[in-house]
Amino acid sequence: MANEVCFRTLDLDRPWLLDRYKSRGGYEMLTRILKEKTDPKQIIDEVKKAGLRGRGGAGFPTGIKWGFINRGAPGPKYLVCNSDEGEPGTFKDRDILRYNPHQLIEGMVIAAYVINAHTGYNYIRGEFWEPYERFEGALKEARAAGYLGQDILGSGFDFDLHSHLGGGAYICGEESALLESIEGKKGQPRFKPPFPAQVGLYNAPTIINNTESLASVPEILRHGADWFRELGVANSGGSKLFSVSGNVSRPGNYEVPLGTPFADLLEMAGGVRDGRTLKAVIPGGSSSPVIPGAMMMDLTMDYDAIAKVGSMLGSGAVIVLDDAQCMVRVLERMACFYYEESCGQCTPCREGTGWMYRVIKRIEHGRGCPEDLALLDDVAARICGRTICALGDAAAMPVQGMLKHFRDEFQYHIDHKRCMVGA
Amino acid sequence: MSLRSVPMNRVAEPVDRDALFPPEVRSQIDREIAKYPPEWRQSACMAALRIQQEAHGGWLTQGAMDAVAAYLDMPDIAVYEVASFYSMYELKPVGRHKVCVCTNVSCMVNGSDRIVDHLEKRLGVGFGGTTSDGRFTLKEVECLGACGGAPMMQVGKQYYENLTPEIVDSILDGLE
């Protein structure tokens, strides 16, 4: 059971075209909803019941988020799609935009109908030129066919949708930074509360969902909440796109039910490359704490199973590391990333990411001091929970995870001024 | 302190908007402005900078940024803030082709070092450098979201995946 939701048209020739999407029932759900004027509350209940959780990384239930909007409040409301895919290891939304953009558009029009928004934006990371052009092409087709714009399908409902290209800043994947960015500013996260559902884009109530979440909506409604929920396991409804990369033979996106054993996913991705042994897995994008390979082989790919061992399913970006990889070097590269991408607004993150990077770098390069591991523990702990947004925690958690499971490797680097891998 | 977000005000002499851009640049920027509420012209700032950068040989001169500020009724400093915050804007001259190599974890464990070494040798410049003939600028970038094709790089708008030194050579040979 693979490719049931967002990738269900992947086998078609040029699946991004409108007629291909329609040949698989595309826009049927939207047409029915607008014709029957389905009660938005009923749609929200269905999405809640389906157990769809935000696919961008936080895993917040999509239906509950939609319920936060007061759809009768005066003034505009906005729907924003977060296609600012930047979590290292993640490359799934890129393929939704490239291969199934109409399903995303259909999901967005339905979501806009639910929250009573008449304008929407899809924030696409600036480097994604090809996906942006595909999405723009789909918007053009959808407008011409009457699925977007004024009086959609004669229903009286108006919704227009635009893309907004990013400029290369990881932080804009954080929803309030993304809103600042659409408002033409630096992407620095906002204090919460107020949450975007109360005060969002241009001060108006705003719902922000991930690309995969929104693209899942038409299929959930077409087949029913039970169908979707039962694809997955308890507390993790549906299937999910897993971006498998690193030391595997067939890296790529795999859309499989939540709860699929990691061992099966690894096998789909061709197993560990060159006959090497699995050493560790970063299960949900670089912000999720690393899990040792042996432990990972017993886990299933769902929110609860990964959380139970102290990590997170995150965006579903599975980075597989073989026994030739030095964990100090891997962490050094990750620490460099967070140092580069901290927006600089909060002191613990701005300074802490720099401290962590410099200390890990000196350990990697044979200049580590005996007290460095305690220093890293301390800096990481002092960042967590002390910043406006989650980037601080996202930078600290990988450090804590590595020191928890691979502390001996770091100690070896400090004691012997060299790497224990291949030593 | 109010949490209300308001468009920034420009305290400057009104400018002749017609004189700021060539018509084709202006029409592209106008298409972007039309996406947003009329009082939020500044929402088109990122797009306008991208369009200006393309029209100015791949980087933003101060004049190019000032024109965006004037056209969108923004303070100049607000435009500089945006231009310096996002990594895709260049504030110094670059070569005709910007070669952006990802070295993040998935690319690193798939040999991005080898790609970087090869590029540095072939181009004779390090990260941030531009070849003396003005053809190439080499840039290290963070994860570009194409880890399934690691190691990868972006040249201009195009992604190139599953790189080897030989593939890199054939890509660079094909560029003016």
Side-chain angles (χ1 to χ4, degrees), chain A residues 277-294:
Chain A
T277 312
L278 179 67
K279 179 172 185 178
V281 176
I282 298 166
S286 79
S287 308
S288 64
V290 67
I291 300 176

Side-chain angles (χ1 to χ4, degrees), chain B residues 58-124:
Chain B
W59 72 290
L60 290 164
T61 58
Q62 186 174 343
M65 293 188 278
D66 290 348
V68 168
Y71 197 62
L72 300 179
D73 301 324
M74 295 170 73
D76 293 342
I77 187 73
V79 174
Y80 307 156
E81 266 195 3
V82 171
S84 57
F85 185 83
Y86 298 94
S87 66
M88 290 175 75
Y89 302 119
E90 302 297 336
L91 302 178
K92 287 187 194 137
V94 292
R96 280 198 297 287
H97 305 285
K98 194 160 77 173
V99 179
C100 301
V101 195
C102 174
T103 58
N104 210 303
V105 174
S106 296
C107 282
M108 183 182 90
V109 302
N110 278 293
S112 59
D113 281 3
R114 203 162 66 106
I115 301 303
V116 172
D117 285 348
H118 183 74
L119 278 164
E120 286 182 342
K121 273 200 203 92
R122 165 156 179 164
L123 301 178

Side-chain angles (χ1 to χ4, degrees), chain A residues 1-10 52 55 92-93 95-96 100 103 211-213 215-217 219 227-228 231 238-244 252-258 260 265 268 301 316:
Chain A
M1 277 213 302
N3 298 352
E4 299 256 345
V5 183
C6 295
F7 273 8
R8 68 193 184 86
T9 56
L10 208 57
L52 174 65
R55 300 297 196 226
K92 65 190 179 65
D93 298 336
D95 280 357
I96 294 176
N100 202 0
Q103 193 163 314
T211 313
E212 186 185 352
S213 310
S216 302
V217 168
E219 284 304 288
W227 170 82
F228 188 79
L231 280 177
S239 57
K240 163 110 192 66
L241 284 166
F242 289 102
S243 303
V244 185
N253 282 314
Y254 296 89
E255 186 173 53
V256 296
L258 283 161
T260 297
L265 183 63
M268 278 179 226
M301 298 304 292

Side-chain angles (χ1 to χ4, degrees), chain A residues 347-358:
Chain A
T347 309
C349 173
R350 183 188 63 242
E351 302 302 323
T353 50
W355 269 99
M356 293 195 299
Y357 174 47
R358 288 188 296 273

Side-chain angles (χ1 to χ4, degrees), chain A residues 170-205:
Chain A
Y170 169 69
I171 190 61
C172 289
E174 197 276 345
E175 58 178 15
S176 64
L178 187 152
L179 298 180
E180 286 285 298
S181 186
I182 296 181
E183 290 184 1
K185 296 176 250 174
K186 310 184 272 194
Q188 290 193 320
R190 298 173 178 173
F191 276 109
K192 287 160 278 234
F195 289 93
Q198 279 83 47
V199 183
L201 183 62
Y202 308 131
N203 305 298

Side-chain angles (χ1 to χ4, degrees), chain A residues 68-110:
Chain A
F68 290 153
I69 277 261
N70 175 5
R71 66 186 310 283
K77 289 145 206 83
Y78 292 99
L79 176 72
V80 175
C81 174
N82 185 346
S83 297
D84 192 39
E85 182 163 66
E87 177 70 22
T90 319
F91 48 97
K92 65 190 179 65
D93 298 336
R94 175 184 181 221
D95 280 357
I96 294 176
L97 294 169
R98 288 199 297 174
Y99 300 122
N100 202 0
H102 280 291
Q103 193 163 314
L104 172 61
I105 294 172
E106 184 178 8
M108 286 191 76
V109 185
I110 295 171

